[in-house]
């Protein structure tokens, strides 16, 4: 009898220990599960916070190309744009109506489908040139990240790598606009007065770099642009006079090139010259002609061909550190971040063979891998 009681007591103790173990195991599973659930919830909340947090996006430079058809120097620009790894640029191209940038017409993926589908026919020396600029700006302003707008021709090349170019342009809130008082007779048409008084009349290169505020002003202008369409027209050259009326005194004809005056005059008229650096970032060399040759041919920039494409030519452009404006008795010393700097980031006019030769010799300093199979 006593033995049975002892066995029953041992069995009860064993069952009690077993229940304790089960309870402890359940308690462990509960706490472990709770910990896993809390960790999962924490990771989910953290992920949602990361996704909902505003992403830091870099301000961009819009490169606005004005081209006749295709871009003959697309491979050079392709090398230049490869220097950006942070999505700091956009590209827009104004070509003739109907022209498409596809795999047949460009070898650079950066330019695929970057043409404006509402482009117009552009004639040199006509107001259609500034209308093309306005079309490019209108499209570029649709991207809120575009903060600078660079006008480039289809014969322009970059002189430095993307990083240097980006930092140079973005280091100042100013636009870069070549602008000076035009004191020579024949350009300003008195019929523009009083909407455009002669005091606001300016001249300069069309290859400007605008900030967003100034780009918006150009696009929204409905006052000065119509005046340019009516009263700013180029003087016909003698070889075309047989097709039109020749006035008795041709010296009285106004020779106004709209793209050399419009942006400069618009910003001066708006009282914004204090917000611009009054020089262009694009170098152009002009042919030195006699007065008789200029009368016959007009003014034309130098075109750099294969034989001209040497590192010495590029270095001579890079070495320019000041620009003299004779009409204003002003010398513009070029600076960047309040330190002396080269005046030009781009140069024109270069043929395709010339530009590729410079690229292959690394004279441009934009990309060091040879491109010999183009």
């Amino acid at each position: 009898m006593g033995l049975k009681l002892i066995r029953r007591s041992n069995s009860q103790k064993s069952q009690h220990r077993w229940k304790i173990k089960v309870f402890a195991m359940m308690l462990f599973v509960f706490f472990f599960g709770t910990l896993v659930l809390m960790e999962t919830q924490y990771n989910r909340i953290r992920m949602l916070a990361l996704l909902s947090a505003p992403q830091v996006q870099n301000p961009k430079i819009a490169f606005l190309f004005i081209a006749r058809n295709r871009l003959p120097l697309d491979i050079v620009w392709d090398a230049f744009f490869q220097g950006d790894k942070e999505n700091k640029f956009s590209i827009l191209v104004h070509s003739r109506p109907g022209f498409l940038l596809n795999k047949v017409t460009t070898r650079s993926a950066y330019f695929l489908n970057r043409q404006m589908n509402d482009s117009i026919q552009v004639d040199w020396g006509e107001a259609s040139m500034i209308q093309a600029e306005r079309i490019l700006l209108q499209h570029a302003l649709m991207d809120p990240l575009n903060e600078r707008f660079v006008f480039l021709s289809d014969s322009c090349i970059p002189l430095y790598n993307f990083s240097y170019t980006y930092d140079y342009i973005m280091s100042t809130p100013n636009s870069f606009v070549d602008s000076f008082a035009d004191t020579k007779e024949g350009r300003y048409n008195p019929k523009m007065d009083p909407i455009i008084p002669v005091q606001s009349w300016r001249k300069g290169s069309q290859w400007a770099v605008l900030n967003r505020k100034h780009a918006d002003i150009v696009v929204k202008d409905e006052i000065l642009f119509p005046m340019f369409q009516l009263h700013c027209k180029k003087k016909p050259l003698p070889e075309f006079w047989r097709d039109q009326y020749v006035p008795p005194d041709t010296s009285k004809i106004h020779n106004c090139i709209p793209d050399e005056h419009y942006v400069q005059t618009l910003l001066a008229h708006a009282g914004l010259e204090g917000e611009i650096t009054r020089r262009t970032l694009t170098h152009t060399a002009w042919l030195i002609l006699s007065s008789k040759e200029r009368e016959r041919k007009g003014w034309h920039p130098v075109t750099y061909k294969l034989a001209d494409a040497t590192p010495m030519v590029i270095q001579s452009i890079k070495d320019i550190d000041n620009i003299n404006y004779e009409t204003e008795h002003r010398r513009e010393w070029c600076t960047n971040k309040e330190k002396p700097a080269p005046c030009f980031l781009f140069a024109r006019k270069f043929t395709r063979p010339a530009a590729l030769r410079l690229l292959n010799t690394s004279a441009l300093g934009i990309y060091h891998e040879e491109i010999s199979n183009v």
Side-chain angles (χ1 to χ4, degrees):
M1 186 72 177
L3 185 60
K4 287 182 178 180
L5 288 173
I6 292 171
R7 288 178 176 174
R8 185 180 301 170
S9 175
N10 290 338
S11 176
Q12 289 175 346
K13 288 180 180 180
S14 176
Q15 289 177 0
H16 182 67
R17 285 195 298 270
W18 181 79
K19 288 179 180 179
I20 291 174
K21 289 180 179 179
V22 170
F23 177 76
M25 181 64 70
M26 291 175 63
L27 197 62
F28 173 78
V29 170
F30 173 76
F31 280 116
F32 181 76
T34 302
L35 184 65
V36 171
L37 183 62
M38 289 175 64
E39 178 72 17
T40 303
Q41 287 293 100
Y42 169 77
N43 289 333
R44 183 183 176 188
I45 293 171
R46 184 168 175 268
M47 183 61 67
L48 288 173
L50 289 172
L51 291 174
S52 61
Q55 299 294 315
V56 178
Q57 294 179 300
N58 294 306
K60 297 195 292 188
I61 296 176
F63 291 86
L64 311 179
F65 291 87
I66 299 177
R68 295 172 182 82
N69 294 299
R70 66 178 66 204
L71 289 162
L73 309 186
D74 54 354
I75 293 299
V76 176
W77 285 101
D78 185 281
F80 172 78
F81 290 127
Q82 286 185 44
D84 172 48
K85 308 299 181 185
E86 302 177 71
N87 192 29
K88 291 182 177 180
F89 71 92
S90 58
I91 297 172
L92 295 94
V93 181
H94 185 286
S95 290
R96 63 172 172 78
F99 183 80
L100 299 177
L101 285 164
N102 52 36
K103 292 183 179 180
V104 175
T105 57
T106 179
R107 297 190 182 188
S108 170
Y110 292 111
F111 290 98
L112 289 174
N113 300 313
R114 301 313 303 159
Q115 75 282 343
M116 300 294 93
N117 295 324
D118 56 348
S119 64
I120 61 172
Q121 183 62 46
V122 173
D123 295 313
W124 179 84
E126 301 290 345
S128 55
M129 179 67 80
I130 53 179
Q131 178 62 11
E133 294 176 350
R134 285 157 57 95
I135 290 171
L136 283 166
L137 288 175
Q138 183 179 10
H139 284 274
L141 283 167
M142 293 179 184
D143 185 345
L145 292 178
N146 285 335
E147 292 193 8
R148 299 292 186 277
F149 305 83
V150 181
F151 287 118
L152 298 161
S153 78
D154 54 9
S155 64
C156 274
I157 60 170
L159 297 174
Y160 298 92
N161 62 35
F162 182 89
S163 177
Y164 181 85
T165 302
Y166 181 90
D167 291 343
Y168 192 116
I169 292 174
M170 300 300 292
S171 66
T172 174
N174 286 7
S175 295
F176 289 89
V177 182
D178 186 39
S179 177
F180 54 92
D182 183 22
T183 58
K184 295 180 180 180
E185 295 182 2
R187 289 282 184 132
Y188 177 76
N189 191 333
K191 293 180 181 179
M192 294 181 174
D193 192 60
I195 294 177
I196 306 176
V198 68
Q199 294 82 4
S200 299
W201 189 246
R202 298 289 185 273
K203 185 178 185 294
S205 168
Q206 77 175 102
W207 311 114
V209 177
L210 300 180
N211 62 27
R212 193 170 181 90
K213 174 184 174 180
H214 298 160
D216 191 57
I217 288 172
V218 172
V219 168
K220 292 180 178 178
D221 169 45
E222 296 180 355
I223 298 174
L224 270 65
F225 180 60
M227 296 302 294
F228 270 80
Q229 288 178 304
L230 287 172
H231 302 302
C232 182
K233 299 179 180 180
K234 71 177 185 291
K235 179 179 179 179
L237 297 177
E239 54 259 43
F240 299 109
W241 285 358
R242 64 181 180 274
D243 300 324
Q244 54 192 273
Y245 168 73
V246 181
D249 185 0
T250 58
S251 64
K252 301 290 185 180
I253 301 177
H254 293 281
N255 186 32
C256 184
I257 311 299
D259 55 77
E260 294 181 355
H261 297 275
Y262 175 64
V263 172
Q264 294 84 348
T265 301
L266 177 63
L267 296 180
H269 186 70
L272 298 174
E273 287 190 299
E275 298 179 7
I276 67 174
T277 299
R278 295 170 63 192
R279 60 183 176 88
T280 181
L281 297 182
T282 299
H283 178 269
T284 304
W286 293 91
L287 288 170
I288 301 174
L289 302 174
S290 67
S291 58
K292 187 173 291 187
E293 284 180 312
R294 284 199 304 272
E295 177 68 21
R296 184 172 60 84
K297 298 181 179 179
W299 286 95
H300 289 286
V302 172
T303 296
Y304 295 97
K305 300 179 180 179
L306 181 64
D308 309 311
T310 65
M312 290 76 76
V313 167
I314 296 302
Q315 192 59 50
S316 68
I317 297 173
K318 290 182 175 183
D319 287 342
I320 298 172
D321 61 0
N322 71 90
I323 304 169
N324 184 36
Y325 293 92
E326 294 180 2
T327 62
E328 295 184 335
H329 307 289
R330 171 172 65 93
R331 185 174 294 276
E332 187 83 20
W333 290 93
C334 303
T335 61
N336 183 245
K337 299 179 182 178
E338 300 182 349
K339 296 180 180 179
C343 291
F344 301 110
L345 299 179
F346 314 102
R348 59 186 292 269
K349 301 174 57 174
F350 285 82
T351 63
R352 180 180 174 87
L356 290 178
R357 180 183 181 185
L358 291 169
L359 185 63
N360 281 330
T361 58
S362 299
L364 300 179
I366 61 172
Y367 193 55
H368 295 295
E369 181 178 330
E370 283 197 3
I371 302 189
S372 55
N373 59 341
V374 190

